[in-house]
Amino acid sequence: MPHDHHDHDNHLDPMEARTRALETILTRKGLVDPAAIDAIIETYAEKVGPRNGAQVVARAWDDPAFAEWLARDATAAISDMGFTGRQGEHMQAVFNTDTLHNMVVCTLCSCYPWPVLGLPPVWYKSPAYRSRAVIEPRAVLAEFGLTLPESTGIRVWDSTAELRYLVIPQRPANTDGFTRDALADLVTRESMIGTGLPRVPA
Amino acid sequence: MNPPENPFDAPWQAQAFAMTVALHQAGLFTWTEWAATLNKALQGAAPDGSDYYTCWLRALEAILTEKTATTPAEVDALAQRWQAAAHATPHGQPILLENAG
């Protein structure tokens, strides 16, 4: 069988073809503008990510008045830092303590605070995490390598289309005198979802 | 500081995501409606989340059908035209719908 035909032939992935079809239909109807689509992609693929959330956490560690504001009105405190946009309209910050660990899930689909964390990782969107986080949080955390003392309570927050959560982990020990940037470098994405803890300084 | 990791595995995933955000911004549906539609499309999804954007695209088609912005038949037909355009386009050149003839 000659093999040269397909070498010169383009074949679209079926999902790619359907997506192009939708974009053609919506553009013709004036419902979307291709330039606006490109701008949205650039924002979420390249600009917004968990470094934003890390700056919020670092400031909360460093500035008690800000931490208090964050606890009272996270939406306002976070937008004050310039992190605004879709899926960040209504935010709640949940603070870890010595006796309480918070973790976040979206059992419905994949609601997630985009302005501070970017788009969610694959595991956050997986049916396995979405169904098990509520039922057996301790076992799920153990799979992430996080084993908490039995005395530490776990509270699981179920995100909705209206309300998104940001976990504020506890400030690691031996970080006195750290600059805010140095503190932010310790804050991982997982620590802000509650499936991990911040890095400890070397 | 590292840039955020790219959350999309393929360009179509980014396109499908961005169209949804744009349509919501334009007021075609509320995010609550979107979340409910996505939830339905995610029933039976792969446990590891690997087909998440396939479900997302299915949800987008469903909500557009519900809002009478398109029909499954219209999407099928145009997807076939895009496939024909791809076949008719020499490798290395941009695929244009006009190439479908």
Side-chain angles (χ1 to χ4, degrees):
Chain A
M1 185 181 146
H3 67 276
D4 57 343
H5 176 69
H6 286 284
D7 288 352
H8 301 281
D9 201 9
N10 283 310
H11 181 78
L12 295 178
D13 175 281
M15 294 297 118
E16 167 85 41
R18 294 195 80 76
T19 305
R20 285 185 184 230
L22 278 182
E23 190 173 12
T24 305
I25 291 164
L26 296 169
T27 304
R28 283 177 182 167
K29 294 189 176 177
L31 289 168
V32 302
D33 165 12
I37 297 295
D38 288 346
I40 292 168
I41 292 171
E42 194 191 345
T43 296
Y44 289 101
E46 293 166 23
K47 290 186 184 160
V48 180
R51 290 299 90 203
N52 290 359
Q55 290 178 56
V56 173
V57 172
R59 186 169 164 195
W61 286 345
D62 191 41
D63 176 352
F66 180 77
E68 192 274 327
W69 186 17
L70 194 60
R72 186 164 34 85
D73 185 351
T75 310
I78 290 169
S79 69
D80 183 64
M81 293 187 70
F83 307 135
T84 58
R86 297 288 151 190
Q87 312 315 315
E89 293 94 341
H90 302 285
M91 294 287 309
Q92 183 173 339
V94 290
F95 291 71
N96 288 351
T97 68
D98 288 339
T99 54
L100 180 69
H101 181 86
N102 295 283
M103 69 187 278
V104 181
V105 66
C106 173
T107 58
L108 178 69
C109 48
S110 47
C111 297
Y112 194 73
W114 297 350
V116 281
L117 294 184
L119 295 182
V122 171
W123 59 260
Y124 184 86
K125 303 178 288 192
S126 71
Y129 179 76
R130 288 168 41 226
S131 61
R132 293 180 57 225
V134 174
I135 302 167
E136 43 176 355
R138 220 169 272 276
V140 171
L141 291 182
E143 286 163 27
F144 276 93
L146 177 55
T147 305
L148 296 169
E150 280 299 322
S151 57
T152 302
I154 300 175
R155 181 152 185 197
V156 182
W157 300 83
D158 194 357
S159 310
T160 68
E162 287 86 27
L163 186 58
R164 310 301 168 92
Y165 301 97
L166 180 69
V167 175
I168 310 298
Q170 287 184 287
R171 179 172 175 157
N174 306 317
T175 55
D176 290 352
F178 273 43
T179 64
R180 237 176 241 177
D181 282 347
L183 289 171
D185 283 343
L186 302 175
V187 182
T188 61
R189 172 176 62 192
E190 277 68 17
S191 73
M192 293 181 281
I193 307 174
T195 51
L197 296 177
R199 296 183 187 95
V200 286
Chain B
M1 222 174 264
N2 300 325
E5 66 188 76
N6 192 322
F8 305 111
D9 289 332
W12 70 264
Q13 298 180 356
Q15 293 281 338
F17 165 79
M19 281 194 283
T20 307
V21 173
L23 291 165
H24 166 246
Q25 265 171 236
L28 197 72
F29 46 78
T30 67
W31 204 258
T32 303
E33 287 177 297
W34 168 252
T37 309
L38 180 58
N39 171 254
K40 253 185 244 166
L42 285 168
Q43 305 298 323
D48 65 358
S50 55
D51 59 358
Y52 176 78
Y53 277 107
T54 302
C55 299
W56 180 293
L57 184 62
R58 201 181 306 141
L60 181 57
E61 290 187 33
I63 205 164
L64 287 170
T65 301
E66 191 186 314
K67 299 289 177 185
T68 68
T70 187
T71 63
E74 188 181 23
V75 180
D76 287 346
L78 208 51
Q80 278 180 25
R81 298 238 322 139
W82 269 110
Q83 207 59 267
H87 284 295
T89 303
H91 208 69
Q93 289 182 27
I95 299 167
L96 301 172
L97 194 56
E98 299 87 88
N99 297 353

